[in-house]
Amino acid sequence: MSHTIPSLWAAPARPPLDLPAPEGEMRAEVAIVGAGFTGLSAALRLAGGGASVIVLDTHAPGFGASGRNGGQIIPGIKIDPDGIDRVYGEATTDFAGKTADTTLALIEAHDIDCDAHRDGWIQGSVKKAHLAQIERRAEQWRKRGANVALLSREEVRARTGSAIFEGGWFDGRAGRLHPLNYATGLAEAARTAGADIRVGAAATQLARQGRDWRIDLANGASVTAGQGIVATNGYSGPLFPELRASLVPAGSFQVATAPLPEVLLSRILPGRSVVSDTRRVGNYFRIGPENRLMMGARGTFTDTPADTAFARVTGDLHATFPETRDLPIAYRWTGRVAMTADHLPHVHQPLPGLVMAAGYNGRGVALSSALGTAIGAHLLDAARPLPFRFTDIRPLPVHALHPVYATLAIWYYRLRDALES
Ligand SMILES: Cc1cc2nc3c(=O)[nH]c(=O)nc-3n(C[C@H](O)[C@H](O)[C@H](O)COP(=O)(O)OP(=O)(O)OC[C@H]3O[C@@H](n4cnc5c(N)ncnc54)[C@H](O)[C@@H]3O)c2cc1C
């Protein structure tokens, strides 16, 4: 099966693994639907702990958000550490602060060739009004021993090469990777540990069969397992309608330029940190493979790539780096991010032996790897606690209207961004 994503990542990617399709009546201790970072990291942990595991995906590993993202390995979740302490407790803050460490350690332990580097993350602000929030965020992590620093207007401009920023902070725990190669490498590591990864047929039904879970597949095969994990995130479909209805699958749109000439390469992101900004509908950018400058942003919530969304990101790129105006845009692609109403990741256990994790709100590279690993450890031994308590699945009201809601929300957030100084 080939990589079927027309993105920058698929161009210089490792070849996909040669994986079989599901066949006949298969059995395992744990069955996992979804071969993205969540499902694969759980599979790796489970297989490494001696469990028999089958991973199922309609497509090759990394077909979903995991193979298309910006490759920014950013620790934390959308709320700041003091808030995480209040909502979940200190152990969860500790987990959230270490998700990048966990991801980079996983890559090192399994020797995954995915161009991973720890060059840090700069969260810049183009709004003076957001600087106090950045100061609080950096201070709260600093107090917990994290390698972070507040950046002045001049420092953030020098480190990014862009004059649009008013200030920012640097998080030295963060880094970058080639996401599709990471997904392929995770799949390879899971397979080496003993996981059986089956691709090419969608899971169409998930039902109780005695004390087991039975998953039927589109090609007539089936899998029976004592425990199940649903790791379909922004690509959740009719398999578990309540889960799909609890998430808003937002579009994230990315462009990548032709390789930067040497003169720009020395000015733009000279330290190779990854960057995002504090706006509600902001941009994220980094230098990618072949020294191409990549930028992404939330766009309109349609299923097909919209020219207007790509034009907006390209406009943002040129506003951030006017000297790139003459560089051709060589790649543009999109993927689905799973958003939740409370901006927090959700972990559910709708029935005993069935776990679901989704809703990383665009911060899932490190979080899904660390959470998948934690879910795997928890299923091996229930005494190992999960970092997030199980919550009920709460379908969003009139979910079928989500493209309308979400587009209105984007406009509303853009308006609030625009009204701030
Ligand atoms: C364009 C873009 C840029 C992003 N940039 C960043 C970033 O820079 N940093 C960051 O931290 N996060 C980023 N994210 C978010 C991050 O990529 C995700 O949070 C993370 O990859 C989620 O992984 P996952 O395994 O949970 O889901 P996914 O990778 O989406 O995997 C879900 C899988 O489930 C499969 N599936 C669904 N239904 C079925 C079924 N019925 N049967 C079989 N298989 C099924 C799909 O084929 C898919 O492979 C970005 C996301 C996008 C889309």
Side-chain angles (χ1 to χ4, degrees):
M1 173 170 283
S2 61
H3 293 305
T4 44
I5 320 150
S7 78
L8 166 64
W9 302 119
R14 296 168 56 175
L17 303 178
D18 188 14
L19 296 168
E23 56 183 340
E25 299 197 347
M26 306 175 68
R27 231 207 115 75
E29 286 167 89
V30 186
I32 300 175
V33 184
F37 300 153
T38 305
L40 292 169
S41 54
L44 176 55
R45 184 66 187 84
L46 283 158
S52 69
V53 186
I54 295 179
V55 183
L56 302 162
D57 204 299
T58 320
H59 304 279
F63 169 83
S66 296
R68 308 160 183 251
N69 58 67
Q72 303 201 0
I73 317 170
I74 302 175
I77 57 176
K78 292 274 169 161
I79 50 175
D80 290 332
D82 288 357
I84 310 176
D85 276 359
R86 272 195 303 276
V87 178
Y88 300 105
E90 286 174 20
T92 303
T93 313
D94 188 54
F95 165 87
K98 290 189 174 136
T99 56
D101 294 350
T102 306
T103 307
L104 289 164
L106 207 56
I107 290 167
E108 197 177 338
H110 297 278
D111 202 14
I112 298 176
D113 180 8
C114 61
D115 206 18
H117 300 273
R118 197 200 286 270
D119 294 323
W121 168 51
I122 295 166
Q123 189 178 33
S125 179
V126 299
K127 304 279 182 186
K128 287 194 178 121
H130 292 184
L131 294 179
Q133 176 200 7
I134 278 184
E135 251 175 67
R136 279 196 303 274
R137 184 166 300 151
E139 177 55 17
Q140 289 179 23
W141 281 121
R142 193 198 58 75
K143 274 201 322 226
R144 289 165 173 85
N147 170 23
V148 301
L150 206 57
L151 301 177
S152 68
R153 182 174 184 258
E154 289 66 36
E155 283 168 328
V156 76
R157 289 179 178 202
R159 287 189 189 213
T160 59
S162 172
I164 67 168
F165 294 108
E166 296 296 336
W169 69 292
F170 173 78
D171 187 336
R173 298 168 296 181
R176 62 194 156 92
L177 48 68
H178 183 305
L180 187 53
N181 283 350
Y182 174 46
T184 305
L186 261 186
E188 191 169 35
R191 205 170 53 154
T192 304
D196 184 359
I197 306 175
R198 302 282 173 149
V199 297
T204 51
Q205 203 177 345
L206 177 68
R208 265 281 191 223
Q209 182 172 278
R211 298 175 62 167
D212 289 332
W213 290 98
R214 179 188 161 100
I215 300 172
D216 290 318
L217 293 138
N219 68 351
S222 68
V223 177
T224 311
Q227 310 203 73
I229 301 176
V230 176
T232 50
N233 206 34
Y235 291 78
S236 299
L239 179 67
F240 210 93
E242 296 87 345
L243 178 68
R244 176 175 59 176
S246 71
L247 304 165
V248 175
S252 194
F253 293 73
Q254 281 191 83
V255 299
T257 65
L260 293 179
E262 210 46 57
V263 59
L264 293 186
L265 204 53
S266 58
R267 277 214 311 267
I268 296 178
L269 298 170
R272 299 293 177 264
S273 300
V274 298
V275 182
S276 59
D277 79 65
T278 54
R279 281 172 297 179
R280 294 170 185 86
V281 192
N283 299 117
Y284 53 95
F285 57 90
R286 58 169 282 190
I287 307 270
E290 298 157 343
N291 294 329
R292 299 172 189 276
L293 180 60
M294 305 165 45
M295 184 174 277
R298 252 355 98 65
T300 51
F301 293 64
T302 53
D303 274 334
T304 44
D307 281 347
T308 44
F310 285 122
R312 187 187 288 275
V313 185
T314 307
D316 290 346
L317 177 76
H318 293 158
T320 311
F321 299 105
E323 63 275 44
T324 63
R325 275 180 204 282
D326 295 334
L327 271 183
I329 298 295
Y331 293 92
R332 32 183 252 176
W333 71 99
T334 183
R336 277 188 241 156
V337 174
M339 310 295 290
T340 53
D342 57 9
H343 307 291
L344 295 171
H346 291 174
V347 186
H348 310 294
Q349 190 185 34
L351 285 164
L354 184 66
V355 175
M356 305 176 171
Y360 307 115
N361 294 275
R363 273 285 180 87
V365 171
L367 185 55
S368 62
S369 306
L371 186 55
T373 304
I375 290 171
H378 178 73
L379 293 192
L380 285 170
D381 177 358
R384 296 190 189 111
L386 285 172
F388 303 102
R389 67 186 80 95
F390 293 128
T391 52
D392 292 340
I393 304 177
R394 291 185 205 287
L396 298 167
V398 216
H399 180 263
L401 291 178
H402 78 75
V404 179
Y405 278 159
T407 303
L408 287 176
I410 285 267
W411 287 347
Y412 171 69
Y413 286 141
R414 278 205 187 109
L415 182 67
R416 287 187 59 187
D417 283 338
L419 291 175
E420 271 170 344
S421 53

